[in-house]
């Protein structure tokens, strides 16, 4: 349960803020290291990454790594849970404990984040693009190629020819060697970045998990699914949920393969420009509407006030566009600067939470002198490690041409956003927290103006685009969720930290091996690879070209919108903190600005209505009884997503996509 908010009546708190009432936050006895789960997790990393690349790059079936609960990792957990039930009966010595299963799941989640759509997939697409696609027409060589460090970018065009056109192999020295130094350099950078994020998680763990007792809505389905002796599967409500999700997915999938089949239509869009073509109502735009069973299932675990805020602000932002049209401010198409506003909201949320936790963090620093073997590391050591990592990252930026002040601002904003996304998962259970066209790259060039950057500094900012493109695949929240799961089932926190960090580094190397193997065989720029590895992931270079050819001035109107968003967020959070009972959370506004929430809002509306009805009509007892059904929706959608993904890979054609 979440921490009680001051002034919030008990009954209102139960209805508005309840998330997961099944288990209280407990400290289970710590067991020995679950070696079987550790080894199995690392053994499955290559298969997991290969499966992700098939789904998201090669066949372009779906994007599971954008989601906060990677369906590919959950699918492995479903299979392992069922297989383990058989092993417990026939080969008990080889069976896995719940700790083993959850450690394997966590390793696969971190592997998915590292190899995901908004992380390494963007990096590898950026490493070869500028030199291979440079032409006299786009003026890449004249504008910025000389500012790109050779130790970060692959500049050997003959070696890149096989990568983009295929019919070759990475196992030739002339193809492999040009990649080694750039991969090694980015590996060193990523090692520092991930370790800093891990230490940040350690800093806030005790405050968020044990003092505020945040509910971590996304961890409960995996925890229940991993229970031994198939306890999860013995609940009839689970099977009703699995059957419902499978039925919807099966009919939709058949209709995708055979368009004349009378299947269910669960997704579409409302084009308000056609329905109401006159201004200002046509500014409402095209609004996607869809019912995703896994979203309805996960939404049942979210606090009511937060799930309400998500769909409410999704509609509110559409009305905001109408108001902009009424005022005639839509002459500038970027107004009201939703990505920049969302970045400002996330930043304000993080700073507000840190400010209110300052006494707790200070007390943790004082207590850190005491020896506590159950903690990952003393809080003081974690803080020093974060500061050292921050200094090293700033030094890296200076080394590639980024001024120290810009580098300081860049990574400060990045760490604040990382903390905010992690909080959104721990408190809200945000199903997706992507932030396209937000983050430090966009904010700095918008507020400062590209004309005030030296071309070398602007190029350096562009090089960081790969881990700031959209934040859908972010590793930090998984560390904190892993710590919470560890406390629940009795895994030592040090085991989670070491295994998680090792999984990230191991996944980095395995990702490059598998991706280069596939690309040199099929060709990243050919029709045999259907994903966005060329079309969208290297989009920063055309943007850099635009910044340099047509430099932009500082946008003071963007600063005004961001300031308004920051102050409004601080005010709303203060009202929630001091008065209590406010049903609107500013986190919903930040999430409503992302690409995913545009598609999730209608499912969250259904989930919110279902949960509200259960609580008001049947109370906590009815809600508890219904929760296995919602978990069944998640599991059923996961199973069918895997089925349609396998079908698409085998048939080499587009099949039903569970998401988006």
């Amino acid at each position: 349960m979440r921490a009680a908010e001051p002034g919030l009546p008990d009954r209102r708190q139960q209805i508005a803020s309840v998330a997961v009432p099944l288990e209280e936050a407990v400290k289970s006895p710590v067991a020995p290291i679950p070696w079987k789960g550790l080894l199995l997790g690392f053994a499955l990393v290559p298969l997991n990454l290969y499966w992700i690349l098939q789904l998201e790059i090669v066949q372009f079936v779906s994007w599971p790594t954008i989601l906060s609960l990677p369906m590919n990792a959950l699918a492995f957990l479903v299979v392992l849970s069922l297989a383990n039930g058989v092993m417990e009966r026939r080969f008990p010595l080889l069976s896995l404990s719940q700790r083993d299963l959850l450690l394997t799941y966590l390793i696969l989640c971190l592997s998915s984040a590292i190899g995901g759509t908004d992380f390494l997939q963007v990096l590898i697409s950026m490493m070869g693009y500028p030199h291979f696609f440079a032409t006299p027409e786009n003026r890449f060589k004249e504008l910025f190629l000389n500012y790109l460090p050779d130790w970060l970018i692959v500049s050997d065009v003959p070696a890149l020819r096989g990568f983009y056109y295929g019919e070759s192999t990475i196992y030739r020295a002339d193809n492999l060697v040009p990649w080694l130094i750039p991969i090694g350099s980015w590996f060193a950078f990523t090692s520092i970045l991930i370790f800093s994020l891990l230490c940040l998680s350690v800093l806030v763990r005790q405050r968020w998990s044990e003092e505020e007792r945040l509910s971590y809505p996304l961890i409960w389905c995996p925890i229940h699914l991993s229970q031994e002796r198939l306890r999860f599967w013995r609940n009839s409500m689970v099977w009703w949920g699995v059957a419902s999700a499978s039925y919807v997915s099966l009919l939709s999938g058949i209709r995708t393969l055979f368009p004349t089949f009378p299947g269910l239509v669960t997704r579409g869009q409302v084009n308000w420009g056609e329905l109401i073509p006159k201004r200002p109502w046509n500014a409402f735009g095209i609004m996607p509407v869809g019912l995703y069973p896994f979203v309805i299932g996960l939404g049942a675990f979210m606090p009511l006030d937060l799930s309400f805020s998500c769909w409410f602000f999704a509609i509110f932002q559409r009305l905001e566009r109408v108001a902009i049209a009424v005022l005639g401010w839509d002459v500038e198409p970027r107004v009201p600067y939703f990505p920049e506003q969302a970045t400002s909201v996330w930043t304000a949320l993080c700073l507000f939470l840190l400010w209110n936790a300052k006494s707790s963090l200070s007390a943790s620093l004082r207590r850190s002198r005491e020896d506590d073997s159950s903690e990952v590391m003393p809080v003081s050591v974690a803080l020093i490690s974060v500061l050292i990592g921050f200094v090293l990252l700033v030094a890296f930026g200076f080394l590639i041409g980024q001024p120290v002040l810009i580098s300081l601002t860049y990574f400060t904003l990045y760490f604040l956003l990382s903390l905010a996304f992690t909080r959104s998962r721990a408190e809200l259970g945000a199903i997706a927290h992507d932030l396209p066209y937000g983050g430090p790259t966009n904010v700095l060039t918008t507020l400062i103006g590209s004309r005030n950057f030296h071309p070398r500094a602007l190029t350096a900012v562009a090089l960081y685009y790969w881990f700031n493109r959209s934040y859908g695949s972010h590793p930090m929240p998984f560390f904190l969720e892993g710590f919470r799961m560890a406390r629940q089932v009795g895994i030592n926190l040090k085991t989670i930290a070491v295994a998680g960090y090792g999984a990230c580094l191991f996944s980095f190397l395995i990702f490059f091996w598998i991706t280069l193997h596939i690309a040199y065989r099929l060709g990243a720029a050919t029709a045999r690879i259907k994903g966005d590895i060329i079309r969208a992931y290297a989009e920063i270079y055309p943007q850099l070209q635009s910044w340099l050819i047509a430099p932009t001035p500082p946008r003071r109107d963007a600063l005004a919108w961001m300031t308004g968003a920051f102050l409004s967020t601080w005010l709303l959070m203060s009202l929630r903190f001091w008065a209590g009972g406010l049903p609107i959370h500013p986190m919903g506004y930040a999430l409503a600005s992302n690409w995913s929430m545009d598609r999730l809002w209608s499912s969250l509306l259904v989930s919110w209505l279902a949960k509200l009805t259960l609580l008001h009509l049947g109370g906590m007892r009815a809600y508890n009884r219904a929760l296995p059904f919602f978990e069944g929706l998640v599991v059923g959608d996961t199973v069918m997503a895997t089925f349609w993904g396998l079908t698409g890979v085998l048939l080499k054609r587009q099949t039903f996509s569970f998401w988006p």
Side-chain angles (χ1 to χ4, degrees), residues 359-494:
S359 299
S360 173
L361 294 175
S362 178
S364 297
L365 284 172
R366 290 194 297 270
R367 289 195 304 267
S368 67
R369 298 175 183 176
E370 305 173 6
D371 181 32
D372 188 353
S373 59
S374 66
E375 293 293 335
V376 178
M377 63 181 80
V379 174
S380 58
V381 174
L383 178 60
I384 293 171
S385 299
V386 170
L387 294 176
I388 292 174
F390 185 83
V391 170
L392 291 175
L393 293 171
V394 170
F396 186 94
F398 180 77
L399 194 61
I400 64 174
Q402 204 172 46
V404 173
L405 183 58
I406 294 296
S407 197
L408 284 169
T409 307
Y410 196 101
F411 284 105
T412 298
L413 185 54
Y414 175 77
F415 282 143
L416 289 174
L417 288 173
S418 299
L419 279 167
F421 297 142
T422 303
R423 176 71 182 209
S424 75
R425 294 260 287 268
E427 181 181 1
L428 166 64
I431 300 172
H433 46 71
D434 51 303
L435 182 59
Y437 308 110
T441 300
N442 180 62
V443 167
L444 290 177
T445 52
T446 298
L447 296 183
I448 300 175
S450 64
R451 74 181 183 188
N452 293 318
F453 281 86
H454 187 277
R456 179 180 172 86
L458 205 56
T459 304
V461 168
L463 281 172
Y464 286 153
Y465 180 71
W466 63 273
F467 63 97
N468 289 281
R469 178 177 181 264
S470 187
Y471 305 104
S473 307
H474 202 297
M476 182 176 168
F478 289 114
F479 283 119
L480 201 63
E481 289 169 349
F483 293 150
R484 181 61 184 86
M485 288 192 292
R487 283 297 202 199
Q488 187 71 29
V489 301
I491 304 175
N492 191 292
L493 297 184
K494 289 187 176 70

Side-chain angles (χ1 to χ4, degrees), residues 533-574:
I533 197 167
I534 299 301
R535 193 165 57 249
Y537 293 167
E539 62 196 349
I540 189 61
Y541 291 117
Q543 179 63 66
L544 177 60
Q545 173 201 39
S546 174
W547 284 334
L548 293 171
I549 291 177
T552 57
R555 294 183 179 269
R556 294 183 179 87
D557 54 341
L559 178 61
W561 283 101
M562 291 180 67
T563 302
F566 187 97
L567 295 176
S568 299
T569 300
W570 199 279
L571 176 62
L572 278 174
M573 290 300 293
S574 298

Side-chain angles (χ1 to χ4, degrees), residues 125 148 151 249 265 269 284 300 316 371 438 462 596 658:
S125 70
L148 292 172
W151 46 280
S249 180
V265 179
Q269 58 185 25
F284 217 82
F316 177 83
D371 181 32
S596 297
F658 83 99

Side-chain angles (χ1 to χ4, degrees), residues 211-222:
E211 294 180 17
E212 294 188 46
R213 295 168 70 87
L214 300 181
S215 57
Y216 292 86
L218 294 175
I219 70 171
W220 298 106
C221 184

